[in-house]
């Protein structure tokens, strides 16, 4: 089975810190995604990547950046964490365009910014 | 832009009963995919069922089936013989077929299963 691993299940950071959320997938998937999940708002796309060193903004990219130096790894970066970035962050991956199985998700990182 | 609407934030069902979760979407595309995902307390999002818009036949997966009404842009999920393990958040999602790989999610619905 495809596995998407997020490095931390829970994370507590201070306001202003630079935060890295790491995601690794083990099945050579082309596409990787970062979502944040908030109660009553569902999942909102932050950034996604179709290939190494490629990235595209999602619906809520402000305050975030990403890095994809290797195909299997997609990092989400909070340059200066703020309390309104307290949320659940979900990473996902999928195969080439046209593949119909939706996404494979990681187990999420619950980030608290204090 | 495509949107997905789940109008009921919470529902409950008795064990062994049947429950239907509703979802509507808005799109100008004619070909696309629709999905239902389940997120139990473990937080792992699990694909429950998918439907390809060009297929008229409704998808089924064991106790899970959909009622896909393309003209009405409706995609409801029916869970038969509900089990305690079905308790979770359920998300409806849309993905276009025209090369975009982005999944657009609804806001989710919490399903409680009562013993």
């Amino acid at each position: 089975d495809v596995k998407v691993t997020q490095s931390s299940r829970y994370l507590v950071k201070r306001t202003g810190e630079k935060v890295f959320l790491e995601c690794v997938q083990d099945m050579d998937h082309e596409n990787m995604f970062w979502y944040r999940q908030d109660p009553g708002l569902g999942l909102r796309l932050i950034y996604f990547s179709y290939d190494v060193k490629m990235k595209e903004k999602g619906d809520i990219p402000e305050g975030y950046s990403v890095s994809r130096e290797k195909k299997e790894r997609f990092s989400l970066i909070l340059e200066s964490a703020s309390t309104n970035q307290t949320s659940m962050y979900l990473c996902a991956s999928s195969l080439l365009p046209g593949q119909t199985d939706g996404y494979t998700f990681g187990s999420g990182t619950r980030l608290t910014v204090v | 832009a495509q949107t997905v609407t789940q109008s009921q934030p919470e529902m409950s069902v008795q064990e062994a009963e049947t429950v239907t979760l509703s979802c509507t979407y808005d799109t100008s595309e004619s070909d696309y995919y629709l999905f239902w995902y389940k997120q139990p307390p473990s937080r792992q999002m699990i694909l429950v069922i998918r439907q390809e818009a060009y297929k008229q036949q409704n998808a089924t997966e064991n106790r899970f089936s959909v009622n896909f009404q393309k003209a009405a842009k409706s995609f409801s999920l029916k869970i038969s013989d509900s089990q305690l393990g079905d308790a979770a958040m359920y998300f409806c999602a849309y993905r276009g077929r025209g090369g975009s790989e982005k999944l657009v999610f609804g806001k989710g619905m919490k399903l409680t299963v009562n013993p």
Side-chain angles (χ1 to χ4, degrees):
Chain A
D1 282 347
V2 175
K3 196 168 183 182
V4 177
T5 303
Q6 294 185 232
S7 55
S8 302
R9 190 161 174 85
Y10 296 95
L11 211 53
V12 180
K13 295 292 181 180
R14 294 195 178 276
T15 301
E17 276 193 78
K18 190 170 185 176
V19 180
F20 293 84
L21 302 183
E22 306 288 347
C23 175
V24 177
Q25 49 95 1
D26 65 0
M27 281 296 288
D28 204 34
H29 279 183
E30 303 292 327
N31 309 313
M32 297 188 75
F33 307 84
W34 275 106
Y35 285 85
R36 70 176 276 177
Q37 181 181 0
D38 300 288
L41 297 177
L43 279 73
R44 293 179 292 166
L45 182 63
I46 305 171
Y47 267 97
F48 60 104
S49 169
Y50 290 147
D51 202 349
V52 175
K53 296 192 185 294
M54 294 183 67
K55 60 185 179 183
E56 298 218 18
K57 293 180 180 179
D59 300 317
I60 52 164
E62 296 79 18
Y64 303 94
S65 62
V66 290
S67 172
R68 194 168 181 199
E69 296 296 319
K70 294 184 178 182
K71 192 174 186 180
E72 67 270 19
R73 185 181 297 270
F74 191 36
S75 303
L76 180 68
I77 304 159
L78 287 65
E79 295 290 343
S80 177
S82 63
T83 54
N84 62 13
Q85 292 178 309
T86 291
S87 185
M88 171 78 79
Y89 290 88
L90 290 171
C91 176
S93 70
S94 71
L95 278 171
L96 293 166
Q99 185 256 0
T100 62
D101 285 344
Y103 294 178
T104 300
F105 282 87
S107 296
T109 295
R110 189 173 295 280
L111 172 68
T112 302
V113 182
V114 298
Chain B
Q2 293 82 14
T3 58
V4 177
T5 302
Q6 294 178 253
S7 56
Q8 301 155 299
E10 292 192 45
M11 292 185 74
S12 62
V13 63
Q14 291 297 124
E15 198 174 3
E17 296 294 309
T18 296
V19 63
T20 299
L21 285 58
S22 64
C23 173
T24 59
Y25 58 94
D26 188 25
T27 184
S28 58
E29 297 177 313
S30 60
D31 200 10
Y32 46 86
Y33 302 102
L34 295 164
F35 304 86
W36 277 99
Y37 280 90
K38 169 186 176 181
Q39 187 182 42
S42 67
R43 303 184 339 204
Q44 182 74 50
M45 293 280 278
I46 302 164
L47 177 64
V48 175
I49 199 165
R50 65 179 178 270
Q51 174 78 42
E52 298 172 52
Y54 67 89
K55 289 186 177 179
Q56 293 185 340
Q57 187 173 5
N58 288 324
T60 63
E61 288 285 345
N62 300 314
R63 297 183 295 108
F64 299 89
S65 61
V66 299
N67 183 6
F68 173 49
Q69 302 288 330
K70 191 173 183 179
K73 295 180 182 174
S74 170
F75 182 60
S76 60
L77 174 70
K78 186 171 81 170
I79 306 174
S80 303
D81 186 25
S82 297
Q83 300 176 1
L84 295 177
D86 294 333
M89 286 292 295
Y90 285 83
F91 292 92
C92 179
Y94 168 101
R95 179 167 76 80
R97 195 184 175 99
S100 170
E101 289 301 301
K102 294 184 291 183
L103 270 177
V104 178
F105 287 88
K107 293 183 178 180
M109 193 224 66
K110 181 180 180 181
L111 178 67
T112 300
V113 181
N114 299 310

